[in-house]
Amino acid sequence: MFRSVLVRSSSSAKQSLLRRSFSSSVPERKVAILGAAGGIGQPLALLMKLNPLVSSLSLFDIANTPGVAADVGHINTRSEVVGYMGDDELAKALEGADLVIIPAGVPRKPGMTRDDLFNINAGIVKNLCSAIAKYCPHALVNMISNPVNSTVPIAAEIFKKAGMYDEKKLFGVTTLDVVRAKTFYAGKANVPVAEVNVPVIGGHAGVTILPLFSQVTSLAQTVATPQANLSADVLTALTKRTQDGGTEVVEAKAGKGSATLSMAYAGALFADACLKGLNGVPDVVECSYVQSTITELPFFASKVRLGKNGVEEVLDLGPLSDFEKQGLEALKPELKSSIEKGVKFANQ
């Protein structure tokens, strides 16, 4: 009996010591989620509450945020949670934020393309980015609101008008494309999905999504692995399924939603990478849709090294298969059009 009490008290003392050393060594980081009461926002709030790198979690939406904040706030992890509701409280939600994640907007419905979302979500993004420019101009911004191919250029234009645009701090979150590509590839290749990495380049809609299955690596290796002898037809089908992943979920939910849970997971993964970069963790590399000169297009998704300033380096595309080279040329006109549409909207 005495021994078990001693073990418990010793364990408790160790945990207390670990907590103290952890809290003193990990920087204070405020993360704001704009659209936190929505289908993506709620599970994203949960996942960010579980992240030990977050010390302050700020949840904003036009309605229902106090309930989400109260619910999430009861979880016994490091971060303090505050909910803010309505435009009058947006400034308080943003002040002092190191990272702002934007899943705000309306979701896709059956038969709706990402283009159909444009006018509603573009207006929402425009207003939110104006507030970010005013209240937390140095924060990293993770754009989830669709269509990402256009909303990121909109954000860039709004920030330019405010005189605070830093191309290194604006990201389109394309991590869900990577998550899907890993999952679909591992299923076909019959390999452990946790060990697979697949770069995805281009944009974040339909044909603009280009998974590079020729560059599949495992965590144990730094060079491309043989593609598990998958045929060209299978790789073509995997590419198409990755491109149509969002539609697959919309149709499966039969009018009752879009990809919210997997998007929240992907958003949390990318946010974690950004926080690690800010905290000085070396060699944090993720795919993201950013301003770059890696192609002739002003914005493009590719592998990016993250650091204390956001984008530290945009990595080159590496060797592409003939199929991927064709895909790259095929996506450029649509991506160019989406970028121009965003720029035009922001400057209206």
Side-chain angles (χ1 to χ4, degrees):
M1 174 70 180
F2 177 74
R3 183 175 179 277
S4 67
V5 171
L6 186 65
V7 168
R8 283 201 301 273
S9 64
S10 171
S11 173
S12 175
K14 281 180 186 172
Q15 287 175 348
S16 177
L17 186 64
L18 282 170
R19 277 197 298 272
R20 284 202 302 274
S21 63
F22 177 81
S23 60
S24 63
S25 62
V26 177
E28 299 284 304
R29 295 292 181 198
K30 176 176 176 177
V31 174
I33 300 176
L34 309 184
I40 296 169
Q42 290 199 41
L44 179 58
L46 167 65
L47 293 168
M48 294 315 294
K49 179 69 173 99
L50 299 179
N51 190 316
L53 302 181
V54 181
S55 59
S56 173
L57 186 59
S58 174
L59 306 181
F60 173 84
D61 215 319
I62 55 173
N64 304 321
T65 339
V68 177
D71 194 358
V72 171
H74 289 176
I75 296 169
N76 60 323
T77 55
R78 178 191 184 206
S79 53
E80 297 291 326
V81 182
V82 183
Y84 299 96
M85 186 170 71
D87 291 341
D88 292 346
E89 297 194 334
L90 182 53
K92 286 188 286 186
L94 290 171
E95 282 168 354
D98 298 285
L99 172 64
V100 180
I101 312 172
I102 311 180
V106 298
R108 288 175 73 195
K109 296 186 173 106
M112 187 187 267
T113 65
R114 284 186 170 87
D115 211 42
D116 295 330
L117 303 178
F118 181 80
N119 283 327
I120 300 171
N121 288 356
I124 292 169
V125 164
K126 194 172 181 179
N127 292 336
L128 293 176
C129 287
S130 295
I132 291 168
K134 189 172 182 180
Y135 299 113
C136 56
H138 303 298
L140 300 190
V141 177
N142 288 2
M143 185 68 68
I144 290 174
S145 302
N146 271 320
V148 167
N149 290 354
S150 299
T151 55
V152 170
I154 288 170
E157 291 301 308
I158 297 303
F159 294 154
K160 284 176 189 174
K161 285 182 181 179
M164 49 66 65
Y165 178 51
D166 183 346
E167 66 188 67
K168 295 181 176 182
K169 295 188 174 182
L170 176 61
F171 302 88
V173 180
T174 59
T175 313
L176 182 52
D177 302 324
V178 176
V179 166
R180 285 174 173 150
K182 290 178 180 181
T183 302
F184 302 157
Y185 176 87
K188 282 292 183 186
N190 196 28
V191 295
V193 68
E195 295 178 9
V196 170
N197 197 19
V198 184
V200 181
I201 65 169
H204 184 56
V207 71
T208 69
I209 300 167
L210 184 61
L212 303 183
F213 291 115
S214 69
Q215 295 183 23
V216 171
T217 57
S218 72
L219 293 183
Q221 295 171 305
T222 55
V223 294
T225 59
Q227 296 165 22
N229 297 317
L230 298 182
S231 69
D233 286 348
V234 169
L235 292 173
T236 300
L238 285 174
T239 299
K240 186 80 168 72
R241 191 179 177 201
T242 304
Q243 292 171 339
D244 294 341
T247 302
E248 185 178 314
V249 175
V250 168
E251 291 176 351
K253 289 190 174 181
K256 294 189 170 59
S258 59
T260 53
L261 301 175
S262 53
M263 184 62 248
Y265 168 74
L269 279 183
F270 188 72
D272 180 67
C274 286
L275 291 170
K276 285 174 178 169
L278 283 175
N279 290 351
V281 176
D283 296 320
V284 179
V285 176
E286 294 289 340
C287 292
S288 182
Y289 181 65
V290 298
Q291 182 172 322
S292 79
T293 56
I294 205 156
T295 68
E296 64 271 27
L297 298 171
F299 294 91
F300 198 81
S302 62
K303 288 196 286 190
V304 172
R305 179 171 283 108
L306 300 166
K308 293 184 177 182
N309 299 305
V311 176
E312 297 291 348
E313 183 185 6
V314 178
L315 305 181
D316 64 42
L317 299 182
L320 307 183
S321 69
D322 289 342
F323 174 74
E324 290 160 356
K325 287 176 184 173
Q326 291 169 4
L328 176 59
E329 293 311 309
L331 71 81
K332 285 178 181 178
E334 184 164 330
L335 188 51
K336 182 173 185 283
S337 174
S338 297
I339 293 166
E340 289 171 350
K341 188 173 183 178
V343 171
K344 182 180 177 183
F345 180 90
N347 290 314
Q348 281 173 351

